[in-house]
Amino acid sequence: MSAKQTSLPTTKQPYLLRNREGTQVLIGTQLVTVIASAASSGGLFELVSISGCLGDSFPAHRHNRAHEGIYVLEGRVEVTLGSERYLLTAGDYAHIPAGTVHAYTLRSHNARLLSLTSKGEVGKLYAHVGMATDLHVHPPQNEAVDLSALLAEPIAGVDVELVAATAVGEAQLVTNVTVPDAVVPYVIASGGGTHLIAGRDLYIFLAANANTDGEFLVLDNLGPAGNAIIQHLHEKHTETFLCTAGQMTMWCNGEEYRMHPGDFLHVPAGTIHSFRMDAHYTRFFSVLSPGIFEPFFHTLGTPYAGYIFPVEPGPARFDRLMQKVQAGELDLKIVGPPPDGSGGPGGPGGPPSGH
Amino acid sequence: MSAKQTSLPTTKQPYLLRNREGTQVLIGTQLVTVIASAASSGGLFELVSISGCLGDSFPAHRHNRAHEGIYVLEGRVEVTLGSERYLLTAGDYAHIPAGTVHAYTLRSHNARLLSLTSKGEVGKLYAHVGMATDLHVHPPQNEAVDLSALLAEPIAGVDVELVAATAVGEAQLVTNVTVPDAVVPYVIASGGGTHLIAGRDLYIFLAANANTDGEFLVLDNLGPAGNAIIQHLHEKHTETFLCTAGQMTMWCNGEEYRMHPGDFLHVPAGTIHSFRMDAHYTRFFSVLSPGIFEPFFHTLGTPYAGYIFPVEPGPARFDRLMQKVQAGELDLKIVGPPPDGSGGPGGPGGPPSGH
């Protein structure tokens, strides 16, 4: 297995997609780009990006089995969660457990969001209501699509149920920064979440096992340019990397990739991988599924009160990590040294990163 | 002159700065990165990026000679313009003519804005109130700085006057998309502005000569991957390119640069240059000073009603362009063919762009 694949594969394997690449479906002026399908993730999750014109929307519906996360990549997106209405801006996250009535409306020109759903039973809806396309960006106009009519009847094997809208009142800007400790709907402002520091790298949980019944973790990751981490693999869970700011290098089964905002790497169980942040301010959005790797972040990381990484490195608890790795308590198999020849995070420098 | 210079030079010349590079000044937890100084622009303009923590702010003040433009790169920024209070999100623009009382407050964690001022008489204020630093990202905490106290007395040769705040009421989200026809304060929502189409490329004026007394133009540029444009130079005006989405290649006096979000290229008069958009959705923010090149965009471009580029190419009026170039009516000297060996925009393809 290598990650030479650079279009969406039909079987579970490592693959790289560049910004706005995947499998595309057009629904009116909304472009849905499938970044991870039930097939490519082995049924663990589906990840799509959706972009469109001001006012484009998806009517109130619920998933009866799938948990969902919405992360805004560009512009403003109004998201209805039960009886609440929120205005999300880029970097904000909404968590939508199974059963929650939700809807969205794009509130700026060319807004773009990520939608993550668990279990692999939602994505087929897009092909059902839209048309395959080779466009990589939403068009300025198109024939309108009546999603409410198309979704009025249940679709066999698709976990989407159209329901009456329940929200009232004005949309509120997202300011909350705290992740609750239960499977409930919530929103998190960009930069917020549960912060852990390891050196100068910030791990920020947007959703943990307590929010997803253990189905997935969602993290926002933030750091300065640094060294590559050790080459490792996971035997039981998939990890994904979607660069949202700056630049990073990823190594994946012997291939090396320079990643920029919007680029996505799928790293299923068994894939040898490493990464390095290369820009002064690098950020990536990651999904891990199932959520068994949550203890890793609390082991290497330490709770942190800031919203940006510190000037001086914080603790990086490799001592605790090695203990747990040796005890076989983490889904982490160390395979080799950092692939850039560096001493790893906090160690002596590897090759100059540059651009 | 080449653009080999990759830190802020002290004389007017071509130069490239990577994302978050420049000359840095720390004011409390706000990091000011000078991207173009009075010296590097030859006194035409100054361009700084400012990032900081939620709540960081700059008190009400005015410039008595300089016109200013603020463009939000990340997060939410509240901008006061006279008696109005606006909440800008990424991609929104505020235009602040000389004499307008204005202020800002960062309304998200790690928000970041660009501030452009004309005439080169504002930038010295940052060194006056802050400390030189080698940080490339704002720190999570620092000793507070009382800007009102530091700016209470006029600073010799700096066009900043502290004034009483004048705004009242709640901040309004920016929805306006129309550029007025006068030197007045205004805001423009991301994607809005005066749209002109040339092929599939969108030129979007955020500020034109009518808004700046001819001192500068501000454009938002949007397009899909395409061919490089002809190699050319301007004899009388400076052009700058700041990539905000996707990827582009720039050629500048024989050097070739791959540019990603946040990267900036300064192209003063006399510099031979060309560019190519390389990603499905590429966007760049540009400042041209003085504003004498405005007729170019109306010559090659055609008014366009959409907010995203079309699927099928619109008109590209090379016929009108060549007529004006031959008549010597534009500050445009064609120097050579597209540097990628392509037939130029709309022509047969150049080398595959890839990543």
Side-chain angles (χ1 to χ4, degrees):
Chain A
M1 284 198 301
S2 90
K4 281 202 170 159
Q5 177 76 45
T6 54
S7 64
L8 190 64
T10 53
T11 58
K12 185 176 174 178
Q13 60 186 271
Y15 61 91
L16 175 83
L17 294 174
R18 294 298 182 184
N19 191 17
R20 298 189 182 249
E21 301 199 331
T23 299
Q24 293 111 232
V25 176
L26 197 56
I27 306 171
T29 52
Q30 291 188 72
L31 183 72
V32 179
T33 303
V34 182
I35 297 171
S37 65
S40 76
S41 76
L44 288 174
F45 59 90
E46 296 165 299
L47 184 64
V48 304
S49 88
I50 300 175
S51 69
C53 296
L54 178 72
D56 278 344
S57 66
F58 203 101
H61 64 286
R62 72 175 157 227
H63 311 298
N64 289 311
R65 292 172 28 83
H67 298 316
E68 181 171 359
I70 287 180
Y71 182 82
V72 175
L73 290 170
E74 291 169 37
R76 307 175 199 144
V77 180
E78 184 178 314
V79 174
T80 294
L81 285 186
S83 60
E84 304 296 322
R85 211 188 283 272
Y86 297 101
L87 187 67
L88 280 68
T89 58
D92 291 352
Y93 175 78
H95 192 68
I96 310 167
T100 309
V101 175
H102 62 288
Y104 71 73
T105 303
L106 306 186
R107 291 298 188 200
S108 35
H109 303 290
N110 313 329
R112 186 170 172 230
L113 61 87
L114 281 177
S115 163
L116 164 74
T117 45
S118 64
K119 293 196 174 75
E121 299 172 6
V122 170
K124 270 185 283 186
L125 93 87
Y126 300 112
H128 185 84
V129 298
M131 306 259 294
T133 177
D134 58 3
L135 289 181
H136 292 283
V137 176
H138 60 281
Q141 67 267 317
N142 196 8
E143 220 168 293
V145 168
D146 184 346
L147 282 170
S148 297
L150 289 170
L151 295 170
E153 296 299 316
I155 313 164
V158 177
D159 179 15
V160 175
E161 185 186 349
L162 212 68
V163 292
T166 50
V168 290
E170 282 286 292
Q172 303 297 312
L173 284 162
V174 176
T175 57
N176 177 59
V177 293
T178 313
V179 180
D181 202 25
V183 185
V184 294
Y186 60 87
V187 288
I188 299 279
S190 182
T194 305
H195 297 76
L196 301 160
I197 192 78
R200 292 189 71 198
D201 295 338
L202 263 180
Y203 308 135
I204 309 176
F205 277 95
L206 300 179
N209 283 314
N211 312 110
T212 68
D213 292 316
E215 291 182 350
F216 59 85
L217 312 173
V218 180
L219 283 101
D220 187 6
N221 305 267
L222 207 54
N227 292 339
I229 64 169
I230 48 166
Q231 296 174 69
H232 65 283
L233 62 80
H234 311 297
E235 291 179 312
K236 294 176 187 155
H237 77 276
T238 289
E239 193 169 1
T240 68
F241 301 81
L242 193 144
C243 182
T244 54
Q247 178 179 300
M248 54 199 291
T249 301
M250 291 216 56
W251 292 266
C252 179
N253 282 353
E255 303 287 330
E256 180 177 331
Y257 302 102
R258 192 61 58 98
M259 292 175 65
H260 298 101
D263 294 349
F264 172 83
L265 191 70
H266 178 254
V267 180
T271 309
I272 300 171
H273 63 286
S274 171
F275 73 87
R276 182 182 65 206
M277 290 183 170
D278 292 330
H280 298 301
Y281 177 95
T282 299
R283 188 172 179 181
F284 67 91
F285 174 89
S286 62
V287 175
L288 294 85
S289 180
I292 53 173
F293 208 46
E294 183 172 333
F296 163 83
F297 300 98
H298 294 280
T299 302
L300 184 59
T302 300
Y304 179 76
Y307 293 88
I308 187 72
F309 43 81
V311 173
E312 296 300 330
R317 298 298 305 273
F318 288 104
D319 56 329
R320 292 197 302 221
L321 181 65
M322 285 307 147
Q323 212 165 33
K324 289 208 180 179
V325 168
Q326 278 152 20
E329 289 172 29
L330 295 174
D331 182 19
L332 175 63
K333 208 164 172 171
I334 295 173
V335 177
D340 60 353
S342 73
S353 55
H355 257 263
Chain B
M1 284 196 302
S2 88
K4 280 202 169 155
Q5 177 76 45
T6 56
S7 64
L8 190 63
T10 53
T11 58
K12 185 176 174 180
Q13 60 186 270
Y15 61 92
L16 176 82
L17 294 174
R18 295 298 182 184
N19 192 17
R20 297 186 182 251
E21 301 199 329
T23 299
Q24 293 110 231
V25 176
L26 197 55
I27 306 171
T29 52
Q30 292 187 71
L31 183 72
V32 179
T33 303
V34 183
I35 297 171
S37 65
S40 76
S41 76
L44 289 174
F45 59 90
E46 295 164 301
L47 184 63
V48 304
S49 89
I50 301 175
S51 69
C53 296
L54 179 73
D56 278 345
S57 66
F58 202 101
H61 64 287
R62 71 174 157 230
H63 312 299
N64 289 310
R65 292 172 29 82
H67 298 316
E68 180 172 0
I70 287 180
Y71 182 82
V72 176
L73 289 169
E74 290 169 36
R76 307 175 201 145
V77 180
E78 184 177 313
V79 174
T80 293
L81 283 186
S83 60
E84 304 296 322
R85 211 188 282 273
Y86 297 101
L87 188 68
L88 279 67
T89 58
D92 291 352
Y93 175 79
H95 192 69
I96 309 167
T100 310
V101 175
H102 62 287
Y104 70 73
T105 303
L106 305 186
R107 292 295 187 201
S108 36
H109 304 290
N110 312 330
R112 186 171 173 231
L113 61 87
L114 281 177
S115 163
L116 164 74
T117 45
S118 63
K119 294 196 174 74
E121 299 171 6
V122 170
K124 270 185 283 184
L125 93 88
Y126 300 113
H128 186 84
V129 298
M131 305 260 293
T133 177
D134 58 2
L135 289 182
H136 291 283
V137 177
H138 59 282
Q141 68 267 320
N142 196 8
E143 219 167 295
V145 167
D146 185 346
L147 282 170
S148 296
L150 289 170
L151 295 170
E153 296 300 315
I155 313 164
V158 177
D159 179 15
V160 174
E161 186 186 347
L162 212 68
V163 293
T166 50
V168 291
E170 282 286 292
Q172 302 298 311
L173 285 163
V174 177
T175 56
N176 177 58
V177 293
T178 312
V179 179
D181 202 26
V183 185
V184 293
Y186 60 87
V187 289
I188 298 280
S190 181
T194 304
H195 298 75
L196 300 161
I197 192 77
R200 293 190 69 198
D201 296 339
L202 261 180
Y203 307 135
I204 310 176
F205 277 94
L206 300 178
N209 283 314
N211 313 111
T212 68
D213 291 315
E215 291 182 350
F216 59 84
L217 311 174
V218 180
L219 283 101
D220 188 6
N221 305 267
L222 206 55
N227 292 340
I229 63 168
I230 48 167
Q231 296 175 70
H232 65 283
L233 62 79
H234 311 297
E235 292 180 311
K236 295 176 188 155
H237 77 276
T238 288
E239 192 168 3
T240 68
F241 301 80
L242 193 146
C243 182
T244 55
Q247 178 180 300
M248 54 199 291
T249 300
M250 290 215 58
W251 291 266
C252 178
N253 282 353
E255 302 288 329
E256 180 177 331
Y257 302 102
R258 192 63 56 99
M259 293 175 66
H260 298 102
D263 294 349
F264 172 82
L265 189 70
H266 178 254
V267 180
T271 310
I272 300 172
H273 63 285
S274 171
F275 74 88
R276 181 182 65 204
M277 291 184 168
D278 291 330
H280 298 302
Y281 177 96
T282 299
R283 188 172 178 180
F284 67 90
F285 174 88
S286 61
V287 175
L288 293 86
S289 180
I292 53 172
F293 207 47
E294 183 172 333
F296 163 83
F297 300 98
H298 294 280
T299 302
L300 183 59
T302 300
Y304 178 75
Y307 293 89
I308 186 73
F309 44 81
V311 173
E312 296 301 329
R317 297 298 305 272
F318 288 104
D319 56 327
R320 291 197 303 220
L321 181 64
M322 285 308 146
Q323 212 165 32
K324 288 209 180 178
V325 168
Q326 278 153 18
E329 289 173 28
L330 296 173
D331 182 19
L332 175 63
K333 207 164 171 172
I334 295 173
V335 177
D340 60 352
S342 73
S353 54
H355 256 264

